[in-house]
Amino acid sequence: TLEGHATNCPKTDEGCAIKVTNTGTEGFRFRVYITPYVVSGENNELTFDEEKSTAYTQISRWITVQNANGEYVAEAEFALQPGESRVIPYRVAIPTDIPGGSQYAVIWAQIMNDSEFKGGIETVGRAGAVITGRSSGDSNEAAEITDIDFTRFAFSGPMHSGATVRNVGNTDFVVKYSYTARTLFGKEMYTSGDKTTAAYPGTEYHIATDWEETPFMGIFQAEFKISAAGEEKVE
Protein backbone atom coordinates (compact mmCIF):
# COMPACT_ATOMS: atom_id res chain seq x y z
CA THR A 1 0.00 0.00 0.00
CA LEU A 2 1.37 3.40 -1.04
CA GLU A 3 0.28 6.53 0.82
CA GLY A 4 1.69 9.65 2.43
CA HIS A 5 5.42 9.93 1.78
CA ALA A 6 6.10 6.25 1.15
CA THR A 7 9.26 5.44 -0.79
CA ASN A 8 7.47 4.98 -4.10
CA CYS A 9 5.13 7.96 -3.78
CA PRO A 10 5.89 11.11 -5.83
CA LYS A 11 8.87 13.10 -4.52
CA THR A 12 6.82 16.24 -3.80
CA ASP A 13 5.82 18.12 -0.65
CA GLU A 14 2.43 16.40 -0.75
CA GLY A 15 3.66 12.88 -1.59
CA CYS A 16 0.73 10.65 -2.58
CA ALA A 17 -1.75 13.52 -2.78
CA ILE A 18 -3.18 16.07 -5.17
CA LYS A 19 -3.62 19.79 -4.50
CA VAL A 20 -6.73 21.57 -5.76
CA THR A 21 -6.83 25.39 -5.86
CA ASN A 22 -9.78 27.68 -6.56
CA THR A 23 -8.29 30.30 -8.89
CA GLY A 24 -11.67 31.88 -9.67
CA THR A 25 -13.74 34.60 -8.02
CA GLU A 26 -16.56 32.40 -6.71
CA GLY A 27 -16.70 29.48 -4.33
CA PHE A 28 -17.66 26.05 -5.59
CA ARG A 29 -18.17 22.44 -4.58
CA PHE A 30 -16.22 19.76 -6.40
CA ARG A 31 -15.91 16.02 -6.47
CA VAL A 32 -12.74 13.94 -6.72
CA TYR A 33 -12.80 10.59 -8.48
CA ILE A 34 -10.57 8.24 -10.50
CA THR A 35 -10.74 6.95 -14.08
CA PRO A 36 -8.46 4.91 -16.35
CA TYR A 37 -6.01 6.78 -18.61
CA VAL A 38 -6.34 4.88 -21.88
CA VAL A 39 -3.99 5.66 -24.77
CA SER A 40 -4.71 4.11 -28.17
CA GLY A 41 -3.67 4.52 -31.79
CA GLU A 42 -0.51 6.01 -33.26
CA ASN A 43 -1.80 9.53 -32.53
CA ASN A 44 -2.08 8.59 -28.83
CA GLU A 45 -5.80 9.31 -28.60
CA LEU A 46 -7.00 9.55 -24.99
CA THR A 47 -10.13 8.10 -23.42
CA PHE A 48 -11.10 7.77 -19.78
CA ASP A 49 -13.91 5.21 -19.97
CA GLU A 50 -13.88 2.24 -17.62
CA GLU A 51 -15.31 0.13 -20.46
CA LYS A 52 -12.08 0.67 -22.43
CA SER A 53 -9.80 -0.19 -19.53
CA THR A 54 -6.79 -2.36 -20.36
CA ALA A 55 -4.18 -4.36 -18.48
CA TYR A 56 -2.22 -1.10 -18.24
CA THR A 57 -4.97 0.91 -16.51
CA GLN A 58 -5.78 -1.44 -13.62
CA ILE A 59 -4.28 1.07 -11.18
CA SER A 60 -7.47 3.15 -11.51
CA ARG A 61 -9.19 0.39 -9.50
CA TRP A 62 -6.53 0.40 -6.81
CA ILE A 63 -6.68 4.13 -5.95
CA THR A 64 -8.91 5.67 -3.29
CA VAL A 65 -9.00 9.29 -2.05
CA GLN A 66 -9.34 10.60 1.49
CA ASN A 67 -12.65 12.34 2.21
CA ALA A 68 -13.33 15.10 4.75
CA ASN A 69 -13.79 12.46 7.50
CA GLY A 70 -10.35 10.96 6.87
CA GLU A 71 -11.75 7.84 5.20
CA TYR A 72 -10.38 6.45 1.94
CA VAL A 73 -13.21 6.17 -0.59
CA ALA A 74 -13.70 5.86 -4.36
CA GLU A 75 -15.18 9.37 -4.62
CA ALA A 76 -15.25 12.40 -2.31
CA GLU A 77 -16.78 15.90 -2.29
CA PHE A 78 -15.29 19.15 -1.01
CA ALA A 79 -15.83 22.93 -1.15
CA LEU A 80 -13.38 25.75 -1.84
CA GLN A 81 -13.68 29.51 -1.56
CA PRO A 82 -11.79 31.83 -3.96
CA GLY A 83 -8.03 31.62 -3.39
CA GLU A 84 -8.29 28.55 -1.16
CA SER A 85 -6.42 25.27 -1.72
CA ARG A 86 -6.93 21.78 -0.40
CA VAL A 87 -4.51 18.87 -0.36
CA ILE A 88 -6.32 15.55 -0.89
CA PRO A 89 -4.30 12.41 -0.06
CA TYR A 90 -4.78 9.25 -2.10
CA ARG A 91 -3.87 5.65 -1.40
CA VAL A 92 -2.79 2.95 -3.87
CA ALA A 93 -3.57 -0.59 -2.70
CA ILE A 94 -1.46 -2.75 -5.02
CA PRO A 95 -2.49 -6.41 -5.42
CA THR A 96 0.04 -9.21 -5.20
CA ASP A 97 -0.65 -10.32 -8.78
CA ILE A 98 0.06 -6.96 -10.42
CA PRO A 99 0.68 -7.29 -14.18
CA GLY A 100 4.17 -6.37 -15.33
CA GLY A 101 4.91 -2.99 -16.90
CA SER A 102 3.36 0.45 -16.60
CA GLN A 103 0.01 1.55 -15.17
CA TYR A 104 -1.96 4.73 -15.92
CA ALA A 105 -4.90 6.50 -14.25
CA VAL A 106 -6.28 10.01 -13.73
CA ILE A 107 -7.48 11.63 -10.50
CA TRP A 108 -10.10 14.23 -11.42
CA ALA A 109 -11.36 17.30 -9.59
CA GLN A 110 -14.68 18.28 -11.19
CA ILE A 111 -16.76 21.33 -10.30
CA MET A 112 -20.32 20.45 -9.29
CA ASN A 113 -23.20 22.50 -10.68
CA ASP A 114 -25.54 23.04 -7.70
CA SER A 115 -28.14 25.01 -9.65
CA GLU A 116 -31.17 23.34 -11.21
CA PHE A 117 -30.37 22.48 -14.82
CA LYS A 118 -33.22 23.46 -17.18
CA GLY A 119 -31.92 22.26 -20.53
CA GLY A 120 -29.66 23.67 -23.22
CA ILE A 121 -25.88 23.43 -23.06
CA GLU A 122 -24.13 22.92 -19.73
CA THR A 123 -20.38 23.43 -19.32
CA VAL A 124 -18.64 21.53 -16.51
CA GLY A 125 -15.04 22.27 -15.59
CA ARG A 126 -12.64 19.60 -14.43
CA ALA A 127 -8.89 19.18 -14.07
CA GLY A 128 -7.00 15.92 -13.93
CA ALA A 129 -3.73 14.69 -12.46
CA VAL A 130 -2.23 11.77 -14.39
CA ILE A 131 -0.94 9.00 -12.14
CA THR A 132 1.65 6.64 -13.62
CA GLY A 133 3.31 3.66 -12.00
CA ARG A 134 5.66 0.93 -13.08
CA SER A 135 5.97 -2.60 -11.77
CA SER A 136 9.34 -3.22 -10.13
CA GLY A 137 9.37 -6.78 -11.41
CA ASP A 138 8.41 -7.76 -14.93
CA SER A 139 8.86 -4.48 -16.82
CA ASN A 140 9.93 -4.98 -20.42
CA GLU A 141 10.95 -1.93 -22.46
CA ALA A 142 11.28 -3.15 -26.05
CA ALA A 143 10.86 -1.70 -29.54
CA GLU A 144 10.84 -2.96 -33.11
CA ILE A 145 12.06 -0.51 -35.78
CA THR A 146 11.13 -1.51 -39.32
CA ASP A 147 10.25 -0.13 -42.78
CA ILE A 148 13.02 2.48 -42.72
CA ASP A 149 12.90 4.45 -45.93
CA PHE A 150 13.85 7.83 -47.33
CA THR A 151 13.95 9.49 -50.72
CA ARG A 152 17.21 8.65 -52.47
CA PHE A 153 16.58 10.40 -55.77
CA ALA A 154 14.06 12.99 -56.90
CA PHE A 155 13.61 15.44 -59.76
CA SER A 156 11.66 17.83 -57.50
CA GLY A 157 9.66 18.10 -54.30
CA PRO A 158 10.51 17.35 -50.66
CA MET A 159 12.94 14.69 -49.49
CA HIS A 160 10.98 12.26 -47.33
CA SER A 161 12.13 9.91 -44.57
CA GLY A 162 10.08 7.55 -42.44
CA ALA A 163 9.97 4.38 -40.38
CA THR A 164 7.64 2.18 -38.35
CA VAL A 165 8.21 1.78 -34.61
CA ARG A 166 6.22 -0.71 -32.57
CA ASN A 167 6.20 -0.89 -28.79
CA VAL A 168 6.41 -4.64 -28.15
CA GLY A 169 7.09 -4.27 -24.41
CA ASN A 170 4.78 -3.52 -21.50
CA THR A 171 5.85 0.01 -20.57
CA ASP A 172 5.98 3.34 -22.36
CA PHE A 173 9.10 4.99 -23.78
CA VAL A 174 10.06 7.93 -25.99
CA VAL A 175 10.94 7.49 -29.67
CA LYS A 176 13.58 9.98 -30.84
CA TYR A 177 14.39 10.55 -34.50
CA SER A 178 16.18 13.06 -36.72
CA TYR A 179 17.08 13.72 -40.35
CA THR A 180 20.21 15.59 -41.46
CA ALA A 181 21.46 16.43 -44.98
CA ARG A 182 24.98 17.64 -45.74
CA THR A 183 26.97 18.42 -48.84
CA LEU A 184 29.68 16.00 -49.90
CA PHE A 185 32.15 18.32 -48.15
CA GLY A 186 30.27 18.09 -44.83
CA LYS A 187 28.39 21.40 -44.80
CA GLU A 188 25.00 21.00 -43.14
CA MET A 189 22.17 21.96 -45.51
CA TYR A 190 19.21 20.85 -43.40
CA THR A 191 18.41 19.23 -40.06
CA SER A 192 15.06 18.38 -38.56
CA GLY A 193 16.52 18.46 -35.06
CA ASP A 194 15.55 15.80 -32.55
CA LYS A 195 11.86 14.95 -32.83
CA THR A 196 10.11 12.81 -30.24
CA THR A 197 6.90 10.88 -29.75
CA ALA A 198 5.64 8.91 -26.76
CA ALA A 199 5.14 5.21 -27.51
CA TYR A 200 2.67 3.19 -25.44
CA PRO A 201 2.53 -0.63 -25.10
CA GLY A 202 1.05 -2.60 -27.98
CA THR A 203 0.92 0.37 -30.34
CA GLU A 204 2.54 0.92 -33.75
CA TYR A 205 3.78 4.36 -34.79
CA HIS A 206 4.66 5.71 -38.22
CA ILE A 207 7.23 8.47 -37.85
CA ALA A 208 8.29 10.77 -40.68
CA THR A 209 10.23 13.91 -41.52
CA ASP A 210 10.30 15.96 -44.74
CA TRP A 211 12.96 18.32 -46.08
CA GLU A 212 10.61 20.71 -47.85
CA GLU A 213 12.77 23.53 -49.24
CA THR A 214 15.44 21.60 -51.10
CA PRO A 215 18.03 23.24 -53.40
CA PHE A 216 17.35 23.32 -57.14
CA MET A 217 20.10 20.75 -57.72
CA GLY A 218 22.59 18.84 -55.61
CA ILE A 219 24.10 15.61 -54.35
CA PHE A 220 23.91 15.19 -50.58
CA GLN A 221 24.84 12.89 -47.75
CA ALA A 222 21.61 12.13 -45.84
CA GLU A 223 21.31 10.51 -42.39
CA PHE A 224 18.08 9.29 -40.80
CA LYS A 225 18.47 8.19 -37.18
CA ILE A 226 15.88 6.51 -34.93
CA SER A 227 16.31 5.44 -31.31
CA ALA A 228 13.72 3.75 -29.09
CA ALA A 229 13.95 1.58 -25.96
CA GLY A 230 17.69 1.05 -26.36
CA GLU A 231 17.39 0.20 -30.08
CA GLU A 232 19.03 2.53 -32.61
CA LYS A 233 18.92 2.41 -36.39
CA VAL A 234 20.89 4.76 -38.67
CA GLU A 235 20.46 4.85 -42.43
Coordinates of all heavy atoms in Angstrom, one line a residue, residues 4-5 10-19 87-89:
G4 N 0.8 8.7 1.7 CA 1.7 9.6 2.4 C 3.0 9.9 1.7 O 3.0 10.2 0.5
H5 N 4.1 9.7 2.4 CA 5.4 9.9 1.8 C 6.2 8.6 1.7 O 7.4 8.6 1.9 CB 6.2 11.0 2.6 CG 5.7 12.4 2.4 ND1 4.7 12.8 3.2 CD2 6.0 13.4 1.6 CE1 4.4 14.1 2.9 NE2 5.2 14.4 1.9
P10 N 5.2 10.0 -5.2 CA 5.9 11.1 -5.8 C 6.8 11.9 -4.9 O 6.4 12.1 -3.7 CB 4.7 12.0 -6.4 CG 3.6 11.0 -6.5 CD 3.7 10.0 -5.4
K11 N 7.9 12.3 -5.4 CA 8.9 13.1 -4.5 C 8.5 14.6 -4.5 O 9.2 15.4 -5.0 CB 10.3 12.9 -5.0 CG 10.7 11.5 -5.2 CD 10.6 10.7 -3.9 CE 11.1 9.3 -4.2 NZ 10.4 8.2 -3.4
T12 N 7.3 14.9 -3.9 CA 6.8 16.2 -3.8 C 6.5 16.5 -2.3 O 6.5 15.6 -1.5 CB 5.5 16.4 -4.6 OG1 4.5 15.6 -4.1 CG2 5.8 16.1 -6.1
D13 N 6.2 17.8 -2.0 CA 5.8 18.1 -0.6 C 4.6 17.4 -0.2 O 4.5 17.0 1.0 CB 5.6 19.6 -0.5 CG 6.8 20.5 -0.7 OD1 7.9 19.9 -0.6 OD2 6.7 21.7 -1.0
E14 N 3.7 17.1 -1.1 CA 2.4 16.4 -0.8 C 2.6 14.9 -0.7 O 1.8 14.2 -0.1 CB 1.3 16.8 -1.7 CG 0.9 18.3 -1.6 CD 1.8 19.2 -2.4 OE1 2.6 18.7 -3.2 OE2 1.7 20.4 -2.2
G15 N 3.5 14.3 -1.5 CA 3.7 12.9 -1.6 C 2.5 12.3 -2.4 O 2.2 12.8 -3.4
C16 N 1.9 11.2 -1.9 CA 0.7 10.7 -2.6 C -0.5 11.5 -2.3 O -1.3 11.2 -1.4 CB 0.5 9.2 -2.1 SG 1.6 8.0 -3.0
A17 N -0.6 12.6 -3.0 CA -1.7 13.5 -2.8 C -1.8 14.5 -4.0 O -0.8 14.7 -4.7 CB -1.6 14.3 -1.5
I18 N -3.0 15.0 -4.2 CA -3.2 16.1 -5.2 C -3.6 17.4 -4.5 O -4.1 17.3 -3.3 CB -4.2 15.7 -6.2 CG1 -5.6 15.5 -5.6 CG2 -3.8 14.5 -7.0 CD1 -6.8 15.5 -6.6
K19 N -3.3 18.5 -5.1 CA -3.6 19.8 -4.5 C -4.6 20.5 -5.5 O -4.2 20.7 -6.6 CB -2.3 20.6 -4.3 CG -2.6 22.0 -3.6 CD -1.3 22.7 -3.4 CE -1.5 24.0 -2.7 NZ -0.2 24.7 -2.4
V87 N -5.3 20.0 0.0 CA -4.5 18.9 -0.4 C -5.3 17.6 0.0 O -5.8 17.5 1.1 CB -3.2 18.9 0.4 CG1 -2.4 17.5 0.2 CG2 -2.3 20.0 0.0
I88 N -5.5 16.7 -1.0 CA -6.3 15.6 -0.9 C -5.4 14.3 -1.1 O -5.0 14.0 -2.2 CB -7.4 15.5 -1.9 CG1 -8.3 16.8 -1.8 CG2 -8.3 14.3 -1.8 CD1 -9.1 17.1 -3.0
P89 N -5.1 13.6 0.0 CA -4.3 12.4 -0.1 C -5.0 11.3 -0.8 O -6.2 11.2 -0.8 CB -4.1 12.0 1.4 CG -4.4 13.3 2.2 CD -5.5 14.0 1.4

